[in-house]
């Protein structure tokens, strides 16, 4: 998940909710407005919606070789 910077400057910051024993309950985004105490911290690593979509698309397109390597590794592990 990426920190998304909207056109009005609002940041959508990913946040996970976990149970007391550490199990993941869910993932969501919280909005951080300019002027909020944590805004500058997240701004440096934020991406526009277009940049985030480009990264997702590029990762999916370039993932084929990595996926083949993983599946081969997994098959070797199952054989032992």
């Amino acid at each position: 998940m990426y920190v998304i910077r909207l056109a009005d400057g609002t940041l959508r910051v990913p946040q996970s909710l976990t149970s007391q024993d550490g199990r993941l309950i869910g993932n969501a985004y919280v909005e951080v407005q300019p002027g909020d105490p944590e805004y500058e911290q997240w701004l440096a690593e934020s991406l526009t919606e277009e940049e985030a979509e480009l990264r997702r698309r590029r990762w999916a397109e370039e993932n084929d070789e990595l996926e083949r390597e993983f599946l081969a590794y997994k098959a070797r592990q199952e054989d032992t």
Side-chain angles (χ1 to χ4, degrees):
M1 295 176 73
Y2 300 107
V3 176
I4 307 297
R5 184 176 63 253
L6 303 178
D8 68 355
T10 300
L11 302 177
R12 287 194 178 147
V13 179
Q15 186 175 47
S16 296
L17 179 62
T18 57
S19 64
Q20 288 184 346
D21 64 359
R23 289 180 296 131
L24 179 66
I25 295 173
N27 291 315
Y29 283 97
V30 294
E31 291 192 350
V32 178
Q33 303 292 329
D36 284 348
E38 297 179 1
Y39 186 83
E40 293 300 321
Q41 166 194 342
W42 295 111
L43 181 61
E45 56 185 275
S46 68
L47 303 171
T48 65
E49 291 177 287
E50 294 80 14
E51 291 168 330
E53 179 56 33
L54 178 62
R55 283 191 183 189
R56 281 194 224 45
R57 200 171 335 126
R58 190 173 14 171
W59 184 87
E61 291 169 357
E62 297 173 359
N63 186 41
D64 292 343
E65 180 61 29
L66 180 60
E67 185 176 8
R68 279 192 294 278
E69 289 178 28
F70 171 74
L71 291 174
Y73 169 79
K74 184 178 172 187
R76 286 192 304 272
Q77 295 303 310
E78 290 172 353
D79 289 342
T80 58

